[in-house]
Amino acid sequence: QVQLVESGGGLVQPGGSLRLSCAASGTFFSRNAMGWYRQAPGKQRELVAHITSGGITNYVDSVKGRFTISRDNAKNTVYLQMNSLKPEDTAVYYCNTYIYPAFNWGQGTQVTVSS
């Protein structure tokens, strides 16, 4: 059974930083791509950042240059470093991975950017 547990969310002022963590259980981690998604109130869930098992990264245009996804296979953990945060980054952030036959999600962590 796959378990993904996000942490690191909170309230931060515009321009501030947060680092999200997603700890994964199981032996799949080093072989799997991992993603960070977010969902704001009234909006669809969107992919924010993605990292392959080999460390290749991709980002949605709105966070390029501000967010960095990384992974530590020894710790079974994927991170999302978020800098220069904006109010529009406010959302619940989820990590995700696909293990046949389903996508697996954590419970999410709330990020609120407000003065």
Side-chain angles (χ1 to χ4, degrees), residues 59-107:
Y59 301 91
V60 67
D61 284 347
S62 60
V63 308
K64 284 181 180 177
R66 300 189 297 124
F67 291 11
T68 302
I69 188 171
S70 62
R71 63 191 299 156
D72 185 336
N73 290 340
K75 295 182 178 180
N76 279 12
T77 302
V78 62
Y79 303 99
L80 187 67
Q81 178 66 45
M82 306 186 295
N83 299 328
S84 302
L85 282 160
K86 304 176 181 180
E88 51 263 43
D89 295 318
T90 295
V92 179
Y93 284 71
Y94 301 88
C95 69
N96 165 280
T97 191
Y98 179 78
I99 298 174
Y100 180 85
F103 285 98
N104 297 268
W105 298 91
Q107 83 289 348

Side-chain angles (χ1 to χ4, degrees), residues 1-97:
Q1 186 175 357
V2 176
Q3 282 193 316
L4 302 173
V5 180
E6 301 97 335
S7 61
L11 173 64
V12 63
Q13 292 187 340
S17 298
L18 284 173
R19 188 176 82 154
L20 307 183
S21 299
C22 172
S25 65
T27 58
F28 69 91
F29 185 83
S30 63
R31 301 188 299 273
N32 265 47
M34 301 293 298
W36 280 101
Y37 287 71
R38 67 185 178 188
Q39 187 166 21
K43 294 189 176 181
Q44 288 190 330
R45 193 171 296 190
E46 67 169 347
L47 176 63
V48 175
H50 179 266
I51 185 167
T52 68
S53 59
I56 297 171
T57 59
N58 283 289
Y59 301 91
V60 67
D61 284 347
S62 60
V63 308
K64 284 181 180 177
R66 300 189 297 124
F67 291 11
T68 302
I69 188 171
S70 62
R71 63 191 299 156
D72 185 336
N73 290 340
K75 295 182 178 180
N76 279 12
T77 302
V78 62
Y79 303 99
L80 187 67
Q81 178 66 45
M82 306 186 295
N83 299 328
S84 302
L85 282 160
K86 304 176 181 180
E88 51 263 43
D89 295 318
T90 295
V92 179
Y93 284 71
Y94 301 88
C95 69
N96 165 280
T97 191

